[in-house]
C-alpha cells in the first residue's frame, strides 16, 4: 500500500441537498483523510477548463452548466491507494450501475448529477489538486 492524495469534488446536487457531512463520513469511514477542503462557486471558465477532456462529448455544455449551478466543495483526500480507494467509495458514474453502499448508489440523482467527482489516475490527481489548491492549503 502506498499513501496517495487524490482530488474530490462534492457537486452542486450534493451541496443543494445538504449532503456534505454524509458524503464526508463515507470518505472517513473508509480510511480517507480530508487534508484540504473549501467551498467555492466554480466560474464557467474553471468548469470548462477542468472538464476540457470531455469537450467533444455531447454532454459537455450541460455538464459545465450543472457544475456552476451551485456551490461545490473541492477537496484533497489522503490515504492508502487513495485514487483507487476513492473511486471504489464513489461507485460507478451511472448510479444505476453503482455498488450498494457507494456514494453514488446512495446519493446520486442521475448520471450527470452524481454527487461526486474523483480523480481517475494519480497523474490527473496531481494536476487537479494543483488546479484548485496551493501547497500550503493542504495539511496532511
Ligand atoms: P467519472 O470519472 O465517473 O466522473 O465519469 P466521466 O469522467 O466519464 O464523466 C465526467 C462527468 O460527466 C460524470 O461524473 C457525470 O457528471 C458527467 N457525465 C458522464 N457521462 C454523462 C452522460 O452520458 N450524460 C450526462 N448528462 N452527463 C454525463
Amino acid at each position: 500500500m502506498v499513501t496517495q492524495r487524490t482530488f474530490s469534488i462534492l457537486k452542486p446536487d450534493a451541496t443543494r441537498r445538504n449532503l456534505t457531512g454524509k458524503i464526508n463520513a463515507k470518505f472517513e469511514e473508509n480510511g480517507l483523510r480530508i487534508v484540504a477542503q473549501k467551498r467555492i462557486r466554480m466560474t464557467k471558465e474553471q468548469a470548462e477548463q477542468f472538464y476540457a477532456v470531455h469537450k467533444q462529448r455531447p454532454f459537455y455544455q450541460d455538464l459545465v452548466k450543472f457544475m456552476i449551478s451551485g456551490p461545490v466543495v473541492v477537496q484533497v483526500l489522503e490515504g492508502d491507494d487513495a485514487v483507487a480507494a476513492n473511486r471504489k467509495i464513489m461507485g460507478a458514474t451511472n448510479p444505476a450501475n453503482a455498488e450498494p453502499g457507494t456514494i453514488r448508489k446512495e446519493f446520486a440523482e442521475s448520471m450527470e448529477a452524481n454527487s461526486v467527482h474523483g480523480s481517475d489516475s494519480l497523474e490527473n490527481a496531481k494536476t487537479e489538486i494543483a488546479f484548485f489548491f496551493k501547497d500550503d492549503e493542504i495539511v496532511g
Side-chain angles (χ1 to χ4, degrees):
M1 292 277 194
V2 53
T3 302
Q4 294 176 341
R5 286 177 175 172
T6 190
F7 178 71
S8 165
I9 306 178
L10 310 186
K11 295 183 178 182
D13 67 290
T15 60
R16 179 170 43 78
R17 288 176 291 150
N18 221 13
L19 290 171
T20 62
K22 282 192 173 142
I23 294 175
N24 279 348
K26 289 274 190 197
F27 298 137
E28 294 183 341
E29 283 161 8
N30 287 285
L32 295 180
R33 186 175 296 274
I34 302 162
V35 294
Q37 174 167 262
K38 58 189 171 190
R39 183 173 169 106
I40 62 166
R41 228 173 225 278
M42 267 195 213
T43 63
K44 186 161 182 276
E45 292 67 32
Q46 274 178 315
E48 283 172 349
Q49 202 183 329
F50 185 78
Y51 280 118
V53 61
H54 294 308
K55 213 168 185 156
Q56 304 310 324
R57 310 277 286 274
F59 58 83
Y60 175 71
Q61 287 303 336
D62 277 347
L63 178 59
V64 168
K65 213 165 132 192
F66 166 62
M67 291 302 289
I68 63 171
S69 68
V72 299
V73 178
V74 290
Q75 307 174 307
V76 181
L77 307 177
E78 186 179 86
D80 286 340
D81 291 331
V83 172
N86 185 38
R87 296 292 301 189
K88 197 162 176 220
I89 297 163
M90 290 163 59
T93 310
N94 184 345
N97 302 328
E99 295 290 324
T102 61
I103 292 168
R104 284 168 166 172
K105 185 67 174 184
E106 288 193 16
F107 302 119
E109 293 183 316
S110 66
M111 177 95 162
E112 179 178 84
N114 58 4
S115 305
V116 280
H117 165 84
S119 309
D120 61 3
S121 69
L122 193 55
E123 196 191 344
N124 284 342
K126 288 189 174 137
T127 309
E128 292 174 359
I129 289 169
F131 192 77
F132 286 102
F133 289 99
K134 300 191 192 103
D135 280 350
D136 66 3
E137 292 178 311
I138 305 168
V139 183

